[in-house]
């Protein structure tokens, strides 16, 4: 064992941690080696110096310094905990208030959303309007009028359902509406509502698309309503009495509207004496500065075709009220220009 | 030489037994119980920190932070080791962390006038005075202790901590192994190297120790 190895083993030797053999070897070496013996003595002296190092004393109020930090931290921690959990007399009301707030918020959001759902069901909402419109139209039309007017008012529902079936690839709104108004079949109201009910299910996914469709539909309805009101306002006042009489006369016998009707006023008047009625009608035409264009005598009646100024049409119709039962078959929508042709079918009473 | 470590170990065991009740009260949030533990261990912890760091004021700050950390973590203390052992581990960790920060700071800022290796005066003002010894002997002893501390501070960190714990504070190898999470054999070999290194350092400072 070399001196370096002996020197490395000296601390363990001084702590009595070596085996008896190692201890005997080191003691033999130390007895014969002054350098290692001095190293051993220096090591003992080193340990004495270390162990003689005095303890330092804590500074004054060191404990108070430490504990002030501890108490400060404890107060902060308790403050956080108290805010979160402990004061039930504060926590419970706050939680109740928060729950109430959430409920009120949810209800207000629900109230805000409801109008959007209403927008998604136009046929159901516009149901009363067709009834009112039909009454107005029927009040001015002859017995054939309901067959014409009713599709106009129900057209939105059918039109909407058709658009739904076509995946919203709708034709131009105005043209489609007019086509329905003239030739389209009358869908029943439940049928018209069914697609709408179906459309309410995928509200979120198709909301935007439906919104566009519904806006177009609403615009079209508004335009139709304006047109109808315009026609009604043009005829309602002057024609109310003849129409009422015509309607009474035509009950149960209303013919289907003719596709061949042109832009003329078509009237049917039922009288006792056809020849007298023809003469009186021609007189009335003359009174309103009208012009008889054609006169045809048939089996049990006659046909008088005349031309009357639009401004005098009302006076003319009032004038022939007393001749017999009048049935208005058709009144053209556009009567803004000069004169209008009036075809009067005169039939004798059976 | 083994007398002091053994006596220190016995003292620690007694303290450890007494600490259990106070630790339990601390875990229930009683700060007064922790104040008692602070009063009981503050000097020992301060000395460990001082011998590790070599600067009294910095040691005080480190111990204060270590006690605060112990209070925060006392809920996690399960009693696997004695409270003093657990507390020493915290103080050692804070001391090493402080030394690492100081080393990094000195590298970036250069040498400081407050560096403990060069600022000798006033570092032992709080040491107890030995009124029986003469003034000259007091001054000589103070200078010698300063040099010893300088040599301890000059040791490698791993060697310094086992030397402080064993030769100055008197912990057993088992306790040191528990604090440092090292096997006893490693603790011993590290301690023996530390003693030889300190002897070589003191020989350079004092010439001959005998």
């Amino acid at each position: 064992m070399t001196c370096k190895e002996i020197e490395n083993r000296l601390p363990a030797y001084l702590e009595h941690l070596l085996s008896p053999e190692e201890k005997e070897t080191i003691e033999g070496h130390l007895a014969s080696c002054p350098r290692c013996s001095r190293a051993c003595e220096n090591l003992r002296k080193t340990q004495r110096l270390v162990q003689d190092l005095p303890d330092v004393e804590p500074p004054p109020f060191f404990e108070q310094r430490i504990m002030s930090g501890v108490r400060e931290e404890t107060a902060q921690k308790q403050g956080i905990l108290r805010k979160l959990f402990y004061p039930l007399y504060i926590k419970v009301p706050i939680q109740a208030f928060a729950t109430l707030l959430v409920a009120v918020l949810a209800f207000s959001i629900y109230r805000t959303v409801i109008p959007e759902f209403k927008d998604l069901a136009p046929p159901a909402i516009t149901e009363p309007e067709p009834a009112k419109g039909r009454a107005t139209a029927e009040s001015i039309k002859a017995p054939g009028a309901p067959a014409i007017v009713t599709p106009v008012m129900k057209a939105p529902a059918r039109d909407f359902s058709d658009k739904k079936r076509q995946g919203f690839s709708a034709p131009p709104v105005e043209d489609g509406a007019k086509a329905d108004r003239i030739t389209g079949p009358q869908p029943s109201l439940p049928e018209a509502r069914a697609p709408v009910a179906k459309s309410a299910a995928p509200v979120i996914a198709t909301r935007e698309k439906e919104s566009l469709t519904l806006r177009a539909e609403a615009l079209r309805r508004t335009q139709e309503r304006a047109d109808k009101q315009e026609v009604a306002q043009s005829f309602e006042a002057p024609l109310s009495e003849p129409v009422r009489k015509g309607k009474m006369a035509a009950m149960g016998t209303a013919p289907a509207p003719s596709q061949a009707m042109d832009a003329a006023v078509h009237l049917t008047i039922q009288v006792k004496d056809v020849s007298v009625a023809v003469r009186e009608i021609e007189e009335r035409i003359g009174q309103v500065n009208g012009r008889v264009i054609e006169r045809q005598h048939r089996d049990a009646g006659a046909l008088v075709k005349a031309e009357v100024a639009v401004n005098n049409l009302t006076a003319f119709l009032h004038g022939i009220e007393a001749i017999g039962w009048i049935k208005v078959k058709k009144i053209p929508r556009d009567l803004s220009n000069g004169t209008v042709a009036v075809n009067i079918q005169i039939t004798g009473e059976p | 030489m083994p007398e002091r470590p053994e006596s220190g170990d016995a003292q620690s065991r007694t303290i450890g037994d007494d600490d259990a009740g106070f630790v339990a009260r601390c875990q229930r949030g009683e700060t007064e119980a922790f104040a008692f533990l602070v009063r009981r261990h503050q000097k020992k912890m301060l000395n460990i920190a001082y011998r590790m760091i070599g600067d009294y004021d910095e040691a005080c700050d480190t111990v204060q932070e270590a006690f605060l950390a112990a209070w925060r973590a006392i809920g996690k203390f399960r009693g696997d080791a004695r409270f003093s052992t657990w507390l020493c581990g915290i103080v050692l960790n804070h001391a090493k962390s402080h030394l690492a920060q100081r080393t990094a700071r000195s590298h970036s800022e250069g040498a400081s006038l407050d560096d403990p290796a060069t600022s000798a005066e006033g570092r032992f003002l709080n040491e107890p005075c030995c009124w029986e010894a003469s003034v000259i002997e007091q001054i000589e002893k103070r200078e010698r202790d300063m040099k010893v501390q300088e040599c301890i501070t000059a040791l490698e960190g791993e060697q310094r901590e086992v030397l402080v714990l064993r030769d100055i504070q008197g912990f057993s190898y088992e306790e040191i192994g528990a604090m440092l999470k090292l096997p006893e054999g490693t603790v011993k070999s590290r301690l023996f190297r530390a003693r030889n290194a300190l002897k070589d350092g003191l020989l350079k400072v004092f010439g001959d120790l005998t």
Side-chain angles (χ1 to χ4, degrees):
Chain A
M1 196 176 278
T2 64
C3 289
K4 187 65 179 174
E5 291 171 338
I6 294 290
E7 195 174 347
N8 289 338
R9 304 295 289 170
L10 284 177
Y13 166 74
L14 293 176
E15 204 148 324
H16 308 288
L17 294 174
L18 296 178
S19 64
E21 293 79 17
E22 283 184 310
K23 184 179 177 184
E24 189 175 343
T25 304
I26 288 174
E27 284 177 347
H29 182 85
L30 290 177
S32 61
C33 180
R35 181 174 173 272
C36 289
S37 178
R38 194 166 54 251
C40 184
E41 196 56 33
N42 284 335
L43 194 59
R44 282 199 181 95
K45 180 68 175 174
T46 297
Q47 289 185 319
R48 273 199 297 273
L49 286 173
V50 170
Q51 290 170 2
D52 284 344
L53 284 173
D55 285 343
V56 292
E57 292 294 325
F61 308 109
F62 189 52
E63 178 194 337
Q64 286 77 7
R65 251 171 69 184
I66 293 170
M67 287 311 297
S68 70
V70 168
R71 290 193 179 96
E72 186 179 346
E73 179 150 321
T74 305
Q76 287 178 357
K77 189 176 177 181
Q78 284 181 346
I80 293 169
L81 290 175
R82 187 170 293 133
K83 283 175 188 172
L84 290 177
F85 299 110
Y86 285 117
L88 293 179
Y89 61 93
I90 293 175
K91 184 188 170 188
V92 170
I94 286 177
Q95 285 184 341
F97 178 74
T99 306
L100 194 65
L101 191 66
V102 169
V104 169
L105 204 62
F107 183 70
S108 66
I109 290 172
Y110 175 73
R111 290 286 301 271
T112 307
V113 170
I114 277 182
E116 296 182 19
F117 283 107
K118 286 181 178 176
D119 288 343
L120 292 174
I125 291 174
T126 56
E127 176 60 19
E129 295 182 4
K132 183 180 177 184
R134 189 185 305 124
T136 306
E138 286 175 352
S139 69
I140 63 169
K141 295 289 182 181
I148 299 170
V149 173
T150 304
V152 172
M153 302 314 293
K154 290 190 175 178
R158 197 192 74 83
D159 198 21
F160 180 77
S161 62
D162 286 345
K163 286 173 185 173
K164 294 288 287 181
R165 291 189 198 103
Q166 293 166 11
F168 297 95
S169 59
V173 173
E174 195 67 18
D175 293 341
K178 284 181 179 175
D180 285 343
R181 196 181 307 146
I182 295 171
T183 61
Q186 297 183 34
S188 63
L189 193 57
E191 287 174 354
R193 281 176 177 172
V196 177
K198 286 176 185 173
S199 71
V203 164
I204 304 304
T206 62
R207 173 174 290 181
E208 184 134 359
K209 194 180 281 186
E210 286 186 357
S211 176
L212 290 173
T213 305
L214 292 170
R215 284 175 190 170
E217 184 71 19
L219 179 61
R220 187 178 63 75
R221 284 201 307 274
T222 305
Q223 290 176 346
E224 288 174 0
R225 204 174 302 132
D227 291 342
K228 189 173 294 303
Q229 286 174 354
E230 186 181 345
V231 172
Q233 287 170 0
S234 300
F235 291 98
E236 188 169 17
L239 298 182
S240 58
E241 189 63 23
V243 166
R244 189 168 59 249
K245 287 184 177 178
K247 186 178 178 182
M248 290 168 63
M251 286 190 64
T253 59
S258 171
Q259 293 287 335
M261 285 184 175
D262 54 9
V265 177
H266 292 262
L267 303 173
T268 299
I269 184 166
Q270 198 171 26
V271 297
K272 291 180 180 177
D273 189 346
V274 174
S275 59
V276 173
V278 168
R279 193 168 54 248
E280 289 181 353
I281 286 170
E282 287 178 348
E283 285 177 6
R284 299 292 187 277
I285 291 170
Q287 288 173 1
V288 297
N289 298 324
R291 183 168 64 90
V292 177
I293 297 171
E294 187 181 354
R295 184 187 309 113
Q296 294 177 4
H297 288 278
R298 296 178 178 175
D299 296 340
L303 175 64
V304 175
K305 293 185 178 178
E307 212 173 43
V308 177
V310 172
N311 294 335
N312 297 329
L313 183 60
T314 305
F316 169 68
L317 293 174
H318 278 297
I320 64 173
E321 279 179 3
I323 297 174
W325 296 100
I326 297 173
K327 180 173 68 177
V328 178
K329 294 176 73 175
K330 182 182 181 247
I331 294 177
R333 294 181 62 190
D334 188 5
L335 293 173
S336 58
N337 296 327
T339 59
V340 62
V342 180
N343 297 340
I344 305 167
Q345 180 75 41
I346 305 164
T347 58
E349 288 183 353
Chain B
M1 178 172 21
E3 297 82 16
R4 179 171 174 172
E6 290 304 320
S7 62
D9 193 83
Q11 186 184 359
S12 298
R13 287 182 193 283
T14 307
I15 291 171
D17 293 338
D18 292 341
D19 288 343
F22 292 100
V23 169
R25 287 173 57 192
C26 290
Q27 289 174 332
R28 292 193 294 268
E30 292 185 29
T31 54
E32 291 308 315
F34 192 73
F36 179 84
L37 292 175
V38 169
R39 199 175 307 129
R40 173 178 279 177
H41 296 289
Q42 59 178 339
K43 182 176 177 180
K44 190 179 187 73
M45 299 305 135
L46 178 62
N47 276 277
I48 292 172
Y50 173 68
R51 297 303 171 191
M52 284 292 294
I53 295 170
D55 183 86
Y56 184 79
D57 293 331
E58 291 178 15
C60 289
D61 293 341
T62 301
V63 170
Q64 188 175 350
E65 292 171 8
F67 269 114
L68 203 56
W71 170 251
R72 288 181 196 133
I74 201 164
K76 299 174 186 172
F77 177 68
R78 297 297 169 214
D80 298 333
R82 284 182 294 181
F83 174 76
S84 60
T85 305
W86 180 73
L87 187 59
C88 278
I90 295 174
V91 172
L92 275 175
N93 285 334
H94 275 74
K96 286 190 278 189
S97 172
H98 181 86
L99 285 170
Q101 289 176 2
R102 192 170 70 182
T103 304
R105 203 165 47 238
S106 66
H107 279 308
S108 61
E109 297 176 358
S112 170
L113 292 174
D114 297 329
D115 188 76
T118 56
S119 62
E121 292 186 2
R123 291 176 55 214
F124 294 101
L125 291 175
N126 291 289
E127 291 180 6
C129 295
C130 181
W131 298 106
E132 295 79 10
S134 66
V135 175
I136 294 174
E137 285 177 340
Q138 285 182 39
I139 293 172
E140 286 178 352
K141 185 176 186 310
R142 181 173 297 175
E143 287 181 352
R144 190 176 65 244
D145 290 344
M146 283 165 46
K147 289 176 182 176
V148 171
Q149 178 61 46
E150 287 173 9
C151 291
I152 292 171
T153 308
L155 289 173
E156 291 180 13
E158 290 180 348
Q159 295 178 0
R160 182 168 62 239
E161 65 187 0
V162 291
L163 187 94
V164 168
L165 293 173
R166 175 67 182 175
D167 288 348
I168 298 178
Q169 296 301 324
F171 285 102
S172 68
Y173 291 118
E174 182 185 358
E175 287 175 313
I176 296 170
M179 282 181 215
L180 304 179
K181 298 180 176 58
L182 292 173
E184 279 190 36
T186 305
V187 174
K188 286 176 183 173
S189 61
R190 195 175 283 181
L191 176 68
F192 298 157
R193 284 199 301 274
R195 284 174 179 168
N196 274 330
L198 182 62
K199 179 199 73 178
D200 294 340
L202 289 174
L203 283 172
K204 288 178 185 175
V205 172
F206 292 107
D208 188 6
L209 298 177
T210 57

